[in-house]
Amino acid sequence: AVGMPHGVGTRAVKKRKLKVEESAEQGCIPGGGGREQATQDKTAKGDGQQQVSSHDKTSMGAPARAPAWFEKVYRGAMSDDYRRYMAEEWGQEKRGDQALFEKLCLEGAQAGLSWATILAKREGYRSAFYSFHVSRCAALCDSEIEKIVGDKEARVVRHRGKCQSVVNNAKCVLQLIHDETTKDNSATPPPIPPPHGYFDRYLWSFVGGSPQLNTWASAKDIPTETDIAIEMSKDMKRRGFKFVGPKICYSLMQSCGLIIDHPKGTPEWEAARKGLATRGVSNGGGGG
């Protein structure tokens, strides 16, 4: 989902005077899912000047560093937490069943909202859903979901369908793990269990098990969904998962580093290219 950050896809980004939240189902630029639109913040004095964040100011007379590509695209629309998320998490390789299950749930929660909203509530989600421990989430009963939805502190987005999808999707992950384990155990000899888990192996199988570095010329070229995202969405829906449309799946792939969508030539793209080369991973991306 872009929120730019989230499904990064900057096509058709519009600037408005008021803060705009785009649906994760529309795809996003970095972030969790659902593209977030850039906004122009005005000073409290109303003089029409754009506010300058602490990130842009100089420190002790030293010149501020050049803004990252996503800061240029979303200038005025990124909080420090959001900027930190984009710099330190978005597009970084994420492995493990529990970590990927958390991201799947948060991407789904962002549908119709901005990633900034979900990012601000992430700790609340972790508290409410046992840090997204798959088995514990699968065991949540209706009364517990009602308690979460009715929480007056609004630690999570109080959308019953989205909260219930956490339970549903946890059960789907457990079923997938059971099916894959049974299939492996029936082989002769049984293969070594996947090091990062069966759900991890399932999601990463859509990109051949390694990060795919795309080569988009600029942020505006980044799409909101691809054939691979559509394939993932169809298969996950077939397995019973909820809130897994193609754009949410693409945002999931972006934010978890299955695909690397930093525009070609940016420092972030170069760092990813060098990192993959060091590991002996060829550039298998198809973008650009």
Side-chain angles (χ1 to χ4, degrees):
V2 172
M4 177 181 181
H6 246 172
V8 170
T10 56
R11 294 176 182 173
V13 173
K14 299 179 181 179
K15 293 185 178 180
R16 298 182 181 178
K17 293 182 179 180
L18 300 177
K19 181 178 180 180
V20 179
E21 295 181 341
E22 276 189 6
S23 168
E25 282 298 328
Q26 294 177 331
C28 337
I29 269 195
R35 192 178 305 169
E36 293 177 36
Q37 296 175 336
T39 61
Q40 296 298 321
D41 296 332
K42 303 302 180 180
T43 61
K45 295 180 179 180
D47 58 3
Q49 296 293 323
Q50 183 174 349
Q51 291 182 329
V52 178
S53 71
S54 58
H55 166 76
D56 297 321
K57 296 177 181 178
T58 58
S59 175
M60 302 298 290
R65 69 167 177 77
W69 70 268
F70 48 83
E71 294 172 305
K72 297 175 183 177
V73 173
Y74 293 92
R75 184 174 178 81
M78 300 187 77
S79 66
D80 288 342
D81 285 343
Y82 205 155
R83 185 179 297 110
R84 196 158 36 244
Y85 169 83
M86 288 300 301
E88 300 175 4
E89 295 187 52
W90 190 82
Q92 298 297 318
E93 188 173 344
K94 190 178 292 294
R95 306 303 301 246
D97 287 355
Q98 187 167 335
L100 290 169
F101 175 65
E102 173 184 302
K103 203 65 175 69
L104 172 68
C105 294
L106 295 179
E107 291 286 353
Q110 190 240 333
L113 302 172
S114 70
W115 177 243
T117 296
I118 303 305
L119 185 61
K121 294 179 179 291
R122 181 163 63 173
E123 290 306 317
Y125 272 96
R126 288 171 174 170
S127 176
F129 291 103
Y130 301 105
S131 296
F132 292 97
H133 187 283
V134 180
S135 295
R136 298 194 71 175
C137 287
L140 286 169
C141 63
D142 290 344
S143 62
E144 290 175 299
I145 293 298
E146 288 302 318
K147 184 178 180 180
I148 293 173
V149 174
D151 180 11
K152 296 187 182 298
E153 295 183 6
R155 293 177 300 165
V156 306
V157 174
R158 297 166 63 184
H159 184 292
R160 184 172 287 97
K162 290 179 179 180
C163 289
Q164 289 175 332
S165 74
V166 174
V167 181
N168 175 82
N169 290 349
K171 292 178 179 178
C172 290
V173 171
L174 292 181
Q175 184 63 52
L176 183 150
I177 292 173
H178 174 269
D179 294 344
E180 292 298 303
T181 302
T182 300
K183 183 172 65 176
D184 280 2
N185 289 341
S186 66
T188 305
I192 298 174
H196 303 294
Y198 285 99
F199 184 54
D200 174 286
R201 185 176 73 177
Y202 167 73
L203 290 180
W204 278 89
S205 70
F206 287 94
V207 291
S210 300
Q212 303 297 294
L213 180 64
N214 283 327
T215 54
W216 310 115
S218 67
K220 70 176 184 297
D221 297 318
I222 301 173
T224 60
E225 63 180 68
T226 61
D227 289 344
I228 294 177
I230 292 172
E231 178 187 355
M232 178 187 288
S233 175
K234 287 181 178 179
D235 194 74
M236 294 190 79
K237 288 179 178 179
R238 179 182 64 80
R239 293 173 180 270
F241 286 88
K242 304 296 184 183
F243 288 93
V244 288
K247 292 178 175 61
I248 286 179
C249 285
Y250 192 66
S251 179
L252 175 71
M253 294 166 66
Q254 289 177 312
S255 60
C256 294
L258 279 73
I259 56 172
I260 301 171
D261 266 356
H262 294 296
K264 184 178 181 180
T266 62
E268 294 82 7
W269 187 90
E270 289 292 347
R273 181 186 63 79
K274 292 178 181 179
L276 292 176
T278 299
R279 294 165 52 187
V281 178
S282 62
N283 175 14

